[in-house]
Amino acid sequence: MPRHGRPISAIALCLSSIVIIRPPLRLFRLGSLLIIGFLLLSPIRAAEFDLQNATIADINAAFDAHALTSEKLTALELKRIETYEPKLHAVITLNPKALDEARALDAERKAKGPRSPLHGIPVVLKDNYNTTDLQTTGGFYGLKGSLPPADATIVAKLRQAGAIVLAKVNMSEFASGGAMSSLGGQSHNPHNLDYTPAGSSGGTGVSIAAAYAPLGYGTDTGGSIRGPSTANGVVGLKPTLGLLSRAGIIPLALSFDTGGPIARSVYDIAVSLNVTTGVDPRDDATQKSTGKAEKDYTKFLDKGALKGARIGLASDFLGVDPEVDVVIESAIGTMRLQGAEIVYFKYPPQLLLAKTEIYNAIRRPEFKWQIQDYLSTLKPGFPKTHADILALSEKITAPTPDGVIPNPTRLASYRQEALCPPLTDPIYLATKNEGLAFVRATVLATIADNKLDAIVYPTSSRRPAKIGAAPEGEGGSGRGRGGSTETVVSYDGPGPHPALGSPPAPSVPPGAGGATNIANLTGFPDLIVPAGFSVDGLPIGISFFGPAFSEPKLLAYGYAFEQATHALRQPVNTPSLPGEKFTY
């Protein structure tokens, strides 16, 4: 928040008071002169604005002081995109009317006041959010030019709140695989261009870290908000399944899918929830949030929230990367200093051994059949079935003149998905109905047995990977070194059910791949906050995880940790540009 010094008007008031009042006592006159001298010599501190560090509250303070307009803010963001996009490759589509919308919102602010704290704030969207005025592609070249019939519910809420959709950004193709797509190419980590920004919301993570916008939205099916948040050193929230509507978002697997915000501060995450939560008749899952969504999540932000909290560290996910472990242990030390009680614990081994198999057995068949429901809403000329997507993907064997590139990792997943049975299959139904109940019950029992207020763990057990490195570990967010959102295994048949993956390699200890898909299997919320950096300057994040609809508590703990550490760092490859820093 900006800090304002003593206003000049206060000095003038003191001076005028002394002129009007004629004190008879020499001592009082001397005291008055001393007061005048103190006021005149005291520095008058102005507010400082820095685009790369500004929260939405800072931006609104500058708006209120008439030091900044939405038009100027939008122009600054567009200049950053123009300058840094050639090396980051985060944007698929820019909104050509963004400046016009900003000018209109400035006029509305002047005439009527702001609609919300998001009034005039530029926002970037992962390109699987439907927007009627900008193409929605899922990163797949076969959907280039597709204009869906209605905005996604989250998009409609953002626009109603006065936000400006600045750009649609790159993603893992159809939200699965590494941080690349056949349409958008490979995105790059702004902290080190040779490294992955993780998937599948990689373009959103890059855009927020590079200050293309103060706020962005991704989706999370197995860790796809959280991987890019930790890899790019920003804040992200995978909310409780049902807190935010998924209507109008291209599905990957509706048993797990949720949209969610990515930003540069916990405050910005909280304020974004104020305008995006709520029951939506277009998404039955939101019925779960009836009476549980808060009107103002910012009221829970408390620097002292960790005092007395009993925080569990899931130590299953340590011991993979020493540099990650050092940062996490330092984070634990900070929480202790803030008054938290830390409990080291491990999940039951049967959960760790089963979680990825349960995830894959549901994720793969659901995409095959649920994507067809989405495709049926599009205009003629676009693919209508999973088989159409596979056929189009197989046609791209080399980069084309118009920029389309092969995506062999996603192609391998398409081929696996094609083998999956219908959603009436008994194994799929048993896994969905019994497997997910097992995971939820196990996690809740673990929390209860250890009397925990929340769980923390390294969002990624490993540092971000170099682009092109082979994926390691299980899927879910790019916590494997290659940034994949799921395990890709071959199926040659006969053998295991085609919806299932292969068991983890014996050399990989249970839990080593990461914990993020536990939040998807349970539907529980997970907040990511920057925790530190590796010796080579790569971000490392920490997750705050808890039961359904515990966002207020997680935001409180995350905010307290953030304010104690201030671990956010500007990427070395996207420095400030002229006009982004000013005093008012």
Side-chain angles (χ1 to χ4, degrees):
M1 298 287 289
R3 295 166 58 188
H4 296 275
R6 183 181 293 104
I8 295 175
S9 58
I11 299 175
L13 179 61
C14 291
L15 286 170
S16 64
S17 298
I18 293 168
V19 171
I20 293 169
I21 300 171
R22 298 179 180 178
L25 299 177
R26 182 179 299 176
L27 183 61
F28 189 74
R29 288 179 181 147
L30 178 61
S32 300
L33 290 173
L34 289 173
I35 292 171
I36 295 170
F38 174 77
L39 291 172
L40 291 175
L41 293 174
S42 295
I44 301 172
R45 292 175 297 172
E48 296 180 356
F49 184 87
D50 181 350
L51 181 66
Q52 289 197 79
N53 291 328
T55 66
I56 291 172
D58 295 328
I59 293 170
N60 276 295
F63 283 161
D64 292 343
H66 307 292
L68 183 67
T69 64
S70 179
E71 181 181 2
K72 180 179 178 181
L73 175 64
T74 303
L76 290 172
E77 307 284 18
L78 288 171
K79 185 63 177 177
R80 291 188 67 79
I81 293 172
E82 178 187 355
T83 303
Y84 296 124
E85 188 53 18
K87 59 184 177 183
L88 296 182
H89 301 155
V91 174
I92 288 181
T93 306
L94 270 177
N95 180 1
K97 298 180 180 179
L99 285 172
D100 293 337
E101 292 176 19
R103 279 189 286 269
L105 286 163
D106 283 334
E108 181 181 325
R109 176 187 293 271
K110 185 176 181 179
K112 302 177 182 179
R115 303 181 196 175
S116 79
L118 298 188
H119 187 109
I121 300 293
V123 174
V124 296
L125 302 173
K126 185 176 181 178
D127 202 22
N128 57 353
Y129 281 78
N130 277 359
T131 47
T132 57
D133 53 344
L134 300 170
Q135 66 174 356
T136 301
T137 70
F140 180 55
Y141 86 97
L143 293 186
K144 184 177 181 180
S146 174
L147 293 174
D151 282 342
T153 296
I154 289 178
V155 176
K157 286 176 175 282
L158 289 168
R159 285 177 159 157
Q160 289 164 8
I164 300 165
V165 177
L166 185 66
K168 305 291 289 297
V169 295
N170 201 17
M171 56 183 286
S172 305
E173 191 168 311
F174 284 121
S176 181
M180 65 168 292
S181 65
S182 59
L183 185 60
Q186 173 70 58
S187 295
H188 295 261
N189 193 314
H191 292 275
N192 188 322
L193 300 176
D194 294 330
Y195 285 76
T196 177
S200 66
S201 306
T204 310
V206 171
S207 297
I208 299 307
Y212 285 2
L215 179 65
Y217 278 80
T219 59
D220 197 305
T221 305
S224 295
I225 286 172
R226 292 160 289 157
S229 295
T230 188
N232 294 284
V234 292
V235 184
L237 175 68
K238 179 266 173 200
T240 301
L241 181 64
L243 185 64
L244 274 64
S245 173
R246 290 94 47 85
I249 298 175
I250 299 176
L252 178 59
L254 290 174
S255 289
F256 308 133
D257 289 349
T258 182
I262 298 178
R264 292 192 293 277
S265 73
V266 176
Y267 171 86
D268 290 352
I269 297 292
V271 79
S272 74
L273 290 179
N274 293 348
V275 302
T276 51
T277 61
V279 175
D280 179 11
R282 298 170 63 197
D283 182 2
D284 290 341
T286 60
Q287 295 294 332
K288 302 174 187 176
S289 70
T290 302
K292 296 178 181 178
E294 299 288 340
K295 291 183 178 180
D296 181 11
Y297 285 87
T298 64
K299 70 182 181 182
F300 299 102
L301 305 183
D302 177 7
K303 291 182 180 181
L306 285 167
K307 185 175 182 179
R310 189 172 165 90
I311 305 296
L313 173 61
S315 57
D316 308 273
F317 310 104
L318 298 173
V320 179
D321 185 331
E323 291 198 40
V324 172
D325 292 353
V326 166
V327 171
I328 297 303
E329 291 293 352
S330 176
I332 291 301
T334 297
M335 291 185 213
R336 283 198 178 103
L337 289 174
Q338 295 297 306
E341 179 184 0
I342 304 300
V343 179
Y344 284 73
F345 78 96
K346 290 189 175 183
Y347 282 108
Q350 59 268 34
L351 170 65
L352 299 179
L353 290 170
K355 65 187 179 73
T356 299
E357 302 306 320
I358 293 171
Y359 175 84
N360 286 337
I362 296 170
R363 208 294 284 156
R364 291 176 184 152
E366 286 197 358
F367 178 74
K368 176 181 178 180
W369 302 105
Q370 291 170 355
I371 188 61
Q372 299 182 168
D373 294 333
Y374 174 83
L375 295 173
S376 69
T377 68
L378 303 183
K379 297 175 183 177
F382 296 102
K384 296 300 180 185
T385 66
H386 183 275
D388 292 342
I389 292 171
L390 174 59
L392 287 170
S393 186
E394 287 179 328
K395 287 183 178 180
I396 305 300
T397 58
T400 67
D402 57 351
V404 175
I405 64 170
N407 191 348
T409 301
R410 191 62 182 98
L411 176 58
S413 292
Y414 291 144
R415 288 170 174 162
Q416 281 188 318
E417 292 155 359
L419 299 171
C420 290
L423 300 187
T424 55
D425 179 76
I427 293 180
Y428 161 78
L429 290 173
T431 306
K432 179 179 175 180
N433 296 331
E434 307 301 330
L436 296 185
F438 157 72
V439 175
R440 281 192 296 271
T442 302
V443 171
L444 288 173
T446 300
I447 292 172
D449 288 349
N450 291 281
K451 300 179 175 62
L452 302 178
D453 292 308
I455 290 170
V456 296
Y457 66 94
T459 310
S460 174
S461 295
R462 299 180 176 90
R463 288 161 286 167
K466 274 199 169 184
I467 291 171
E472 295 177 18
E474 67 196 66
S477 69
R479 34 186 198 283
R481 296 284 284 172
S484 176
T485 58
E486 63 166 322
T487 305
V488 177
V489 298
S490 61
Y491 175 74
D492 298 319
H497 192 285
L500 298 177
S502 298
S507 60
V508 179
T516 54
N517 61 14
I518 293 176
N520 302 97
L521 293 165
T522 57
F524 294 170
D526 199 359
L527 174 72
I528 288 69
V529 182
F533 285 79
S534 67
V535 295
D536 49 358
L538 294 169
I540 295 167
I542 189 167
S543 283
F544 291 80
F545 173 61
F549 300 105
S550 63
E551 280 85 355
K553 186 179 285 188
L554 300 183
L555 289 166
Y557 296 152
Y559 180 78
F561 176 77
E562 173 192 63
Q563 296 303 303
T565 57
H566 296 287
L568 183 76
R569 185 184 297 178
Q570 296 177 1
V572 296
N573 289 293
T574 56
S576 295
L577 298 175
E580 293 182 359
K581 296 181 180 181
F582 55 85
T583 301
Y584 66 94

